[in-house]
Every structure is written in C-alpha cells, then in structure tokens.
Amino acid sequence: MRQVRERCVWSQRITHRDLVPYLIEESHEVIDAVENGTRADLREELGDLLWQVLFHAAIAAQDPDDPFDIDDVAETLTEKMVRRHPHVFAGEVATTPEEVLVHWNAAKAAEKRTRTSVLDGVPRGMPALALAQKLVGRAAGAGIVPRADAAAPASEAELGDALLALVATARAEGWDAERALRERLRTLEDEVRTAEAGA
C-alpha cells in the first residue's frame, strides 16, 4: 500500500471522501460473497475490503495535522476489543451470549458518555431499511415505538413478501420507497429528540 500510494499517480490524488464509493461497493461484495459466493470469493472480497482499510490508513498517515497509520488503527481496535471483552481479558464472567452482550453494552456505554441522545452515533449513510431497523431499536430506548397498522408478518419470509409488496405499490404509484422511508425516519428522529428533551 505504501508503494502504491507513493508511486501511483491516481492513488496519490485519492482522498478519504473519494474512496467512500469503493468502500461501500467492496462491503457489499463481501456480503454477496457471504450470502452467495464460494470460499474463494469470500477470501478475495475480504482482501479487497482490507485494501480499503489500508488505503484509508495510508491517506491518514499523510495528514499534516493529525496523522495516524495502520498500526495506530490496529492499536485502537485492540484496546477497544479488550475493553469490550472483560470476560476474556479481565476477571468478569459471561457464560451465555446474553451475558456477553451485557458486558459489551456496558463498555460501549462507558466509551460513549459524551452522547446526549440514543440516536447519536447512528451512521445516516446506511441504506434506508438498515437505518430504519437501527433507529427503531434506538427509539424504543426513548419509549417511542412506531405503530404497525398492517397485519404483522408471522415469519421472515412473510416480512420479505410484505416489504416487496410495499415497494411494488410505491413503484406503481410513482413514489420513491427509499426517500419515503428516509423522510419518515427524519420524523421519527424528531419524535425521539422531543421525548428525550421532555424526559
């Protein structure tokens, strides 16, 4: 990576922002390899995703004001994982996955003490459906649970059918399903922040 950054004219000009589309694409290719690919596909796509991390770290290493490199990234990650696994690296006990989550969430909460809302830290660039799932979970922490008017699906397969039917309805009506969900999520965020302000 260092040689590519130093000797490739295209790579020398790339910024963190320029790499975002590639990071998104490579992440989706890993997901596709997990869901539909072979072991060789997964190995290749994980390498492509790792290249993105290395590329970002190489760009960061050249920052004149606040440089960091891949070793700094690895060190920060190691420190975080040690903190979040006290049942592995300290004297805590966790014998079930639920107990592991208790330790994980407690460590994460301690790390994020400066956050003022349950919505803080949710990346808004996520696809609308993934963002909706994340925000609905966070909203529940503020006592806001969006109501469902339609009959609830009884399985993931039925949920898939219902979602597909809604997208088909949107298409037939000339509506943008992604935009509609994002706009509704903005309203949900406003509801959560209003609830938090009144608490």
Side-chain angles (χ1 to χ4, degrees):
M1 180 69 248
R2 188 174 298 117
Q3 289 181 23
V4 167
R5 184 71 173 163
E6 290 172 359
R7 296 168 57 191
C8 172
V9 178
W10 181 84
S11 298
Q12 291 169 355
R13 297 178 181 174
I14 293 296
T15 67
H16 290 295
R17 186 176 294 275
D18 295 332
L19 280 180
V20 167
Y22 303 105
L23 179 60
I24 293 169
E25 180 180 343
E26 296 300 349
S27 298
H28 285 289
E29 288 178 5
V30 169
I31 293 167
D32 192 49
V34 167
E35 294 178 347
N36 303 306
T38 64
R39 299 286 293 169
D41 293 335
L42 180 58
R43 183 171 58 243
E44 178 183 351
E45 297 306 337
L46 285 171
D48 291 348
L49 186 59
L50 177 59
W51 183 257
Q52 293 298 308
V53 175
L54 294 171
F55 209 152
H56 278 282
I59 294 168
Q62 294 176 329
D63 186 285
D65 301 319
D66 187 17
F68 62 84
D69 63 15
I70 193 64
D71 291 331
D72 298 315
V73 172
E75 182 180 350
T76 300
L77 176 61
T78 300
E79 290 169 357
K80 179 192 289 186
M81 290 303 108
V82 167
R83 275 194 315 274
R84 292 190 183 181
H85 292 85
H87 55 290
V88 175
F89 299 104
E92 300 294 335
V93 175
T95 57
T96 66
E98 292 78 19
E99 290 173 353
V100 170
L101 283 179
V102 168
H103 292 305
W104 179 276
N105 289 331
K108 190 171 180 180
E111 293 166 12
K112 311 297 182 184
R113 281 187 293 252
T114 59
R115 293 186 175 172
T116 58
S117 170
V118 296
L119 302 177
D120 290 349
V122 176
R124 296 312 185 274
M126 294 171 69
L129 196 54
L131 179 61
Q133 188 156 329
K134 181 68 101 172
L135 289 179
V136 166
R138 295 286 183 96
I144 307 270
V145 180
R147 60 181 172 72
D149 293 331
S155 68
E156 274 195 19
E158 287 185 16
L159 175 61
D161 290 340
L163 290 169
L164 187 58
L166 286 172
V167 171
T169 298
R171 184 176 185 278
E173 295 292 336
W175 301 331
D176 184 318
E178 178 87 4
R179 182 178 58 229
L181 183 53
R182 283 194 176 280
E183 288 178 359
R184 179 58 183 95
L185 291 175
R186 279 192 284 279
T187 304
L188 175 62
E189 290 186 59
D190 291 343
E191 293 169 11
V192 169
R193 293 189 191 282
T194 298
E196 288 175 330

